[in-house]
């Protein structure tokens, strides 16, 4: 794949526009709070004329992808950005302490309920139905019962997104036909396969996994988190090699300092801005004179 892009400064005085025939499938990976970075990248790309042909989303990428599929234009991205900038941990994780205690004692299969996340989705989409999306939407989840990938393409969007983002042990799995559905990242954190099988020949993916540079094992949480990231990166590497013969694939992998890979909700604004910076870099360095993407793998050094 192509080389890495250098850190740049947002410069709207010299915009690089994408050609009208650039209509890639947009594949959005999971990555927790780093989903804010995707929002910034999308902000820059849609401002330059990006119009995806379809969206494939996993975990937080499914949440962002649902917004894009229902309103694939700069106004839709502006609404998504507003939701993220207003997001607080209390909205997602705030729970009744007594409920949490009972849940732990009775050994139920999750700590946090998902009704607040569902309310956020319901408030943000014009209709809770895949059929109402302006472009095709594919949401990726994992069937823990059968150990298989599940791709939602019809029915309630909220149910699909909740299943796709149900981190095992934290959020309650979604029951469907006897199966327990959880975070799609377990099977396909950046699902190129679904895009290719849906007919995509041009793919633009935003991968939120981070490189190992400077990793220090100073806590068990960081060790576990990094172990998962390494597994996901190998999965992405394998899929790029597997499907590059069937589609033109551009992967954007924002590289952040370690502090922000485990960022809190208080860093959302910074993460959006960093994503926008990388989106501008992509336009400046990986778009040819005809407005077509030319780079393969695009990364950036951390900027603070």
């Amino acid at each position: 794949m192509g080389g890495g892009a250098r850190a740049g400064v947002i410069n709207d005085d010299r915009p690089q526009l994408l050609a009208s025939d650039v209509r890639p499938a947009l594949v959005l990976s999971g990555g927790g709070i780093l989903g804010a970075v995707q929002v910034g990248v999308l902000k820059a790309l849609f401002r330059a004329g990006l119009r995806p042909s379809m969206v494939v989303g996993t975990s937080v990428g499914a949440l962002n992808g649902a917004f894009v599929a229902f309103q694939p234009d700069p106004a839709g991205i502006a609404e998504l950005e507003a939701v993220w900038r207003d997001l607080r941990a209390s909205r997602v994780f705030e729970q009744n302490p007594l409920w949490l205690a009972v849940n732990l004692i009775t050994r139920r299969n999750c700590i946090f309920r998902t009704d607040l996340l569902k309310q956020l989705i319901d408030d943000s989409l014009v209709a809770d139905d895949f059929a109402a999306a302006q472009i095709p939407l594919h949401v990726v989840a994992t069937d823990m019962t059968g150990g298989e990938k599940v791709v939602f393409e019809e029915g309630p969007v909220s149910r699909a997104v909740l299943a796709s983002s149900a981190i095992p042990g934290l959020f309650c799995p979604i029951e469907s036909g006897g199966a327990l559905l959880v975070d799609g990242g377990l099977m396909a954190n950046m699902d190129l396969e679904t895009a290719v099988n849906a007919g995509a020949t041009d793919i633009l993916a935003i991968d939120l996994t981070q490189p190992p540079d400077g990793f220090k094992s100073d806590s068990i949480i960081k060790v576990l988190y990094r172990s998962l990231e390494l597994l996901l990166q190998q999965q992405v590497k394998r899929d790029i090699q597997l499907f590059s013969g069937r589609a033109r694939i551009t992967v954007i992998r924002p590289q952040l300092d370690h502090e922000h890979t485990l960022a809190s909700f208080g860093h959302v604004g910074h993460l959006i801005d960093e994503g926008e910076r990388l989106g501008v870099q992509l336009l400046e360095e990986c778009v040819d004179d005809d407005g077509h993407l030319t780079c393969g793998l695009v990364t950036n050094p951390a900027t603070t």
Side-chain angles (χ1 to χ4, degrees):
M1 306 300 287
R6 300 181 304 276
V9 177
I10 296 174
N11 178 10
D12 287 331
D13 295 331
R14 188 172 57 85
Q16 176 65 57
L17 300 181
L18 294 169
S20 59
D21 62 343
V22 176
R23 298 214 47 185
L26 185 62
V27 177
L28 302 177
S29 85
I33 192 65
L34 295 184
V37 179
Q38 284 180 343
V39 177
V41 174
L42 293 172
K43 181 180 179 181
L45 298 183
F46 271 86
R47 186 170 59 217
L50 175 66
R51 296 296 182 270
S53 59
M54 69 177 77
V55 182
V56 179
T58 300
S59 198
V60 72
L63 177 62
N64 288 339
F67 271 83
V68 173
F70 275 77
Q71 194 171 353
D73 55 40
I77 301 304
E79 291 185 16
L80 177 60
E81 180 183 6
V83 169
W84 270 94
R85 289 189 182 274
D86 186 53
L87 198 60
R88 297 292 182 270
S90 60
R91 294 193 65 187
V92 179
F93 295 104
E94 184 177 30
Q95 307 287 346
N96 184 304
L98 179 60
W99 186 91
L100 288 176
V102 171
N103 197 38
L104 289 172
I105 293 172
T106 57
R107 296 178 179 271
R108 291 180 58 189
N109 55 12
C110 60
I111 298 176
F112 300 107
R113 64 181 187 264
T114 55
D115 54 328
L116 294 176
L117 182 57
K118 184 179 186 306
Q119 187 63 51
L120 172 64
I121 299 169
D122 290 342
D123 291 345
S124 303
L125 300 182
V126 294
D128 190 11
D129 193 322
F130 277 82
Q134 293 191 35
I135 58 177
L137 172 64
H138 309 267
V139 172
V140 183
T142 298
D143 174 5
M144 288 198 75
T145 307
E148 299 176 338
K149 180 175 72 175
V150 176
V151 181
F152 289 90
E153 299 172 344
E154 59 183 19
V157 175
S158 62
R159 183 176 179 82
V161 173
L162 289 177
S164 181
S165 56
I167 302 172
L170 290 183
F171 293 108
C172 298
I174 301 298
E175 296 185 19
S176 177
L180 289 179
L181 304 179
V182 296
D183 198 315
L186 295 178
M187 288 293 170
N189 196 52
M190 194 182 82
D191 193 3
L192 301 176
E193 179 183 36
T194 291
V196 170
N197 288 344
T201 56
D202 194 3
I203 297 174
L204 175 60
I206 305 178
D207 176 23
L208 297 177
T209 59
Q210 296 295 299
D213 299 350
F215 174 72
K216 297 180 180 179
S217 57
D218 54 1
S219 77
I220 189 171
I221 295 298
K222 290 181 180 179
V223 170
L224 292 173
Y225 185 87
R226 184 58 198 157
S227 298
L228 176 60
E229 278 200 321
L230 290 174
L231 290 174
L232 296 178
Q233 284 187 347
Q234 287 303 308
Q235 182 187 88
V236 168
K237 181 179 180 180
R238 178 204 65 196
D239 286 354
I240 291 175
Q241 294 173 342
L242 184 61
F243 298 110
S244 60
R246 298 173 58 187
R248 180 187 180 92
I249 301 172
T250 298
V251 178
I252 306 173
R253 181 178 291 161
Q255 179 180 335
L256 304 170
D257 57 69
H258 190 65
E259 173 187 358
H260 293 114
T261 64
L262 297 172
S264 69
F265 283 85
H267 290 93
V268 162
H270 175 81
L271 294 174
I272 292 175
D273 292 342
E274 285 302 296
E276 184 178 1
R277 185 184 303 276
L278 179 56
V280 171
Q281 288 176 222
L282 177 72
L283 295 168
E284 291 178 346
E285 302 184 22
C286 297
V287 177
D288 62 23
D289 292 339
D290 295 323
H292 296 101
L293 294 170
T294 59
C295 291
L297 177 62
V298 185
T299 63
N300 72 316
T303 54
T304 57

